[in-house]
């Protein structure tokens, strides 16, 4: 069975325990009030490092799994080709990515592929990547003052690992008050926008496949802020 680890803050104990039961997770890794998001995720990676399963999954305490989550998770990861799969693609944040997402979200593919991880609400990685993640990502985050999704993106790009987003998202985001105050965030930006999945649902059994569309980059020089892009559904 695919291991699932929840990354949680003690202030959200009841949310985390509810998620543990709903997702059928193996463990909760708790923030110690001072270590922060990046160190908490690294601790979760260490918890499952060396496991025999092909995939491992990490959910933050404000994640909301879809119905039939375990079954859907198995089908998503059986169909996925890239070694990193985000289970959530959200509205609102990051704001500069919303128009590119809007340009492709309607395409009838099971995945949206990118070179950028936009969120760590819920994501899966191949277990053979964990050692490298543990060795490199916390250092990248600290030295470059990057939020965790940016640090993972930096690490993945250097190694040529693409990232897929399940379409629809099989994890939504509970839009609750952030734990980390604005002044302690790497980017110093307040979280005021609505943060919910663009599409949140499940697919009937047997209908997940490897089809995908590419997520265009944002382009500040263009009026629509979307890099010139033809929406093509790829297989595999």
């Amino acid at each position: 069975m695919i291991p699932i680890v929840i990354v949680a803050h003690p202030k959200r104990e009841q949310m985390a325990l509810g998620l543990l039961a709903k997702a059928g997770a193996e463990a909760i890794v708790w923030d110690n009030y001072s270590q922060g998001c990046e160190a908490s995720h690294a601790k979760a990676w260490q918890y499952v490092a060396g496991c025999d399963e092909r995939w491992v999954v990490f959910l933050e305490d404000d994640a909301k799994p879809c119905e039939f989550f375990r079954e859907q998770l198995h089908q998503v990861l059986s169909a996925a080709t890239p070694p990193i799969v985000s289970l959530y693609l959200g509205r609102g944040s990051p704001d500069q990515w919303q128009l590119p997402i809007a340009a492709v979200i309607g395409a009838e593919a099971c995945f949206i592929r990118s070179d950028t991880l936009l969120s760590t609400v819920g994501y899966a990685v191949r277990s053979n990547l964990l050692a490298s993640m543990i060795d490199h990502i916390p250092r990248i985050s600290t030295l470059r003052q990057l939020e965790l999704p940016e640090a993972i993106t930096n690490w993945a790009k250097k190694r040529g690992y693409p990232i897929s987003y399940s379409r629809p998202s099989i994890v939504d985001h509970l839009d609750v008050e952030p734990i980390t105050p604005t002044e302690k965030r790497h980017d110093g930006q307040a979280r005021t926008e609505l943060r919910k999945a663009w599409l949140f649902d499940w697919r009937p059994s047997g209908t997940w496949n490897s089809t995908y569309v590419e997520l265009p980059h944002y382009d500040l020089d263009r009026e629509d802020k979307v890099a010139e892009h033809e929406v093509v559904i790829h297989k595999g």
Side-chain angles (χ1 to χ4, degrees), residues 64-179:
K64 177 185 175 183
C66 70
E67 291 187 85
F68 320 113
F69 177 68
R70 273 285 185 178
E71 175 190 343
Q72 291 289 298
L73 179 64
H74 174 75
Q75 292 187 51
V76 166
L77 298 183
S78 294
T81 303
I84 306 167
V85 178
S86 178
L87 309 175
Y88 168 80
L89 183 59
R91 295 180 180 270
S93 178
D95 59 352
Q96 70 269 32
W97 283 93
Q98 299 307 303
L99 287 172
I101 294 170
V104 298
I105 195 69
E108 288 298 328
C110 290
F111 295 94
I112 296 172
R113 188 175 294 188
S114 179
D115 62 0
T116 303
L117 183 66
L118 302 179
S119 167
T120 52
V121 172
Y123 61 101
V125 298
R126 296 271 178 87
S127 58
N128 62 356
L129 304 185
L130 288 173
S132 178
M133 292 172 66
I134 292 165
D135 286 344
H136 295 94
I137 292 173
R139 185 168 65 253
I140 291 170
S141 178
T142 301
L143 290 176
R144 303 192 181 183
Q145 291 294 289
L146 299 177
E147 297 282 355
L148 182 59
E150 296 174 281
I152 294 175
T153 294
N154 184 292
W155 167 83
K157 282 183 177 180
K158 285 188 174 181
R159 288 154 181 79
Y161 299 145
I163 296 162
S164 276
Y165 294 83
S166 65
R167 181 194 173 277
S169 298
I170 61 169
V171 167
D172 203 355
H173 186 241
L174 296 173
D175 196 28
V176 295
E177 186 70 21
I179 291 291

